[in-house]
Amino acid sequence: MIRGIYATASGMGVQQARMDIISNNLANLSVFGFKRSSVTAAPFSELLLVAAEQPNGTKAPRGWNAVGNLSYGAAVTAVKVDPAGGTLKETNRQLDLAIAGDGYFAVNVPSAGDPGRVAYTRDGTFSRDAGGYLATSAGHRVLNSSYSPILLPDGEISVSPAGVISAGGAEVDSLAVVVFDDANQMIREGNGYFAAPGLQGSQHDNPLVRQGFLERSNVDPNVEITNMLTALKAYEAGQKLIQAHDELLGKAINQVGTLR
């Protein structure tokens, strides 16, 4: 019965993780370029409970003792980002850009140890910054196909579907539209940015950039609410199961174990 409680609790933990991710998806429903996430879980045949000292000599937190092995249960294996595109919204702003299809805009998002660090985004809410460079709504400069900031001239700007930026009929620069073999492995950061550590990106051979449009999030509220209700029902079922285990355990101790 103790093992049943542990197995049920592990399943409830998975449902709690799903609820957290679904809530975050719904909270970002109206954020341009947002990509929904989903939790993947898998059953495990054996969960080794933490012991004070494992056979390999590694130490566990003070006060923990060996309990044994717990068969059955579930665990979260990953939180994956869904790279599917969202619908496009026309804004008619010349520096609002959207990618119809695969690819990400490259952005310079400096860190303490790496001032040239590159992040990626699908949110094309761009504008000129104080220096005249093309920048995101968070103030980070958008990069060209050579991964350098894009300096915009004064006046009207046009952007071709291939990402070529022109002013006054003359080509000025070209956007970096980067594609990855497995965009599911990208890591979400703040401000709509994604990091791609260990992933090899390349310039899109045939991008489709839409000027005067923004990409809506790919969150479907109907799907998310259905998933939320499913996770909630599974969590409630886990609560009832733990209560049943607790009642059986109480009977085993107070009735079956009573000496007569």
Side-chain angles (χ1 to χ4, degrees):
M1 284 179 283
I2 294 293
R3 292 190 174 190
I5 291 175
Y6 285 136
T8 304
S10 70
M12 292 174 67
V14 171
Q15 301 308 323
Q16 181 63 60
R18 284 187 172 137
M19 290 286 288
D20 292 342
I21 292 299
I22 293 168
S23 298
N24 185 65
N25 289 341
L26 289 171
N28 289 278
L29 178 64
S30 60
V31 176
F32 290 114
F34 179 81
K35 301 301 177 186
R36 67 180 295 273
S37 296
S38 61
V39 170
T40 60
F44 46 81
S45 59
E46 185 177 87
L47 173 66
L48 182 62
L49 299 186
V50 178
E53 183 171 346
Q54 302 292 350
N56 61 8
T58 58
K59 296 289 185 179
R62 182 179 300 176
W64 287 62
N65 297 312
V67 181
N69 294 333
L70 175 64
S71 297
Y72 311 112
V76 174
T77 56
V79 176
K80 292 188 176 181
V81 176
D82 181 1
T87 59
L88 302 187
K89 176 184 178 180
E90 187 171 8
T91 65
N92 292 316
R93 291 184 65 251
Q94 67 171 346
L95 295 182
D96 280 348
L97 304 176
I99 301 173
D102 296 334
Y104 291 81
F105 297 113
V107 182
N108 176 214
V109 183
S111 63
D114 186 4
R117 190 175 77 94
V118 178
Y120 305 90
T121 186
R122 293 278 294 194
D123 182 2
T125 311
F126 300 149
S127 61
R128 283 185 178 89
D129 67 8
Y133 289 91
L134 185 64
T136 68
S137 57
H140 297 108
R141 289 177 175 174
V142 182
L143 303 178
N144 62 17
S145 55
S146 299
Y147 290 87
S148 298
I150 299 172
L151 181 61
L152 298 176
D154 295 332
E156 293 294 317
I157 299 294
S158 65
V159 181
S160 74
V164 176
I165 301 172
S166 301
E171 182 177 326
V172 175
D173 215 328
S174 60
L175 289 160
V177 180
V178 184
V179 290
F180 298 92
D181 291 336
D182 188 2
N184 286 304
Q185 301 301 317
M186 300 180 75
I187 299 174
R188 189 191 304 279
E189 298 183 344
N191 296 316
Y193 299 144
F194 295 89
L199 298 179
Q200 186 65 39
S202 59
Q203 177 71 15
H204 200 308
D205 293 332
N206 189 27
L208 183 54
V209 178
R210 300 290 303 276
Q211 185 177 16
F213 287 82
L214 290 174
E215 181 188 9
R216 292 187 173 97
S217 74
N218 65 354
V219 177
D220 184 336
N222 296 321
V223 171
E224 299 301 329
I225 290 173
T226 300
N227 291 341
M228 178 177 285
L229 291 174
T230 301
L232 179 60
K233 291 295 183 182
Y235 190 89
E236 290 175 345
Q239 288 179 314
K240 293 178 181 179
L241 189 55
I242 285 182
Q243 184 178 3
H245 276 294
D246 183 60
E247 292 173 355
L248 287 174
L249 186 60
K251 289 182 179 180
I253 294 173
N254 297 320
Q255 295 180 18
V256 178
T258 301
L259 295 177
R260 298 185 182 277

